[in-house]
Amino acid sequence: MGLIRFNGIRRILARLNAGPDETLYVGDAPSDIRYCNEVGVPIAVAAWASTADVEKILRLNPEWLFYSIEGFKHWLISYI
């Protein structure tokens, strides 16, 4: 499964003709952080998701971590 997602990020970037510096991945799993780090894509972690393992996520030091949709929304508006 991991290899598929990792390759999936690369395939999507190629399909969109986009580089990692033009991309933001939003995920909720430690594996999302690892795959993004390998590809060089920044990641915003949706720690509000019921599937999020916040303890494991924190150990991986994601670029951005959000505990609410509202917090993510405000950050995203200011980020753009």
Side-chain angles (χ1 to χ4, degrees), residues 13-78:
L13 291 176
R15 180 175 286 172
L16 296 174
N17 195 30
D21 58 331
E22 304 172 281
T23 306
L24 175 67
Y25 188 100
V26 179
D28 65 355
S31 58
D32 294 334
I33 299 167
R34 286 191 296 275
Y35 300 138
C36 285
N37 287 340
E38 288 191 36
V39 177
V41 171
I43 183 168
V45 177
W48 68 81
S50 62
T51 55
D53 185 338
V54 177
E55 190 174 303
K56 286 182 181 178
I57 288 168
L58 286 171
R59 287 195 297 260
L60 293 170
N61 299 314
E63 285 90 350
W64 300 282
L65 179 69
F66 299 95
Y67 292 99
S68 71
I69 294 171
E70 193 65 25
F72 176 66
K73 176 184 165 186
H74 287 299
W75 173 82
L76 190 57
I77 289 169
S78 67

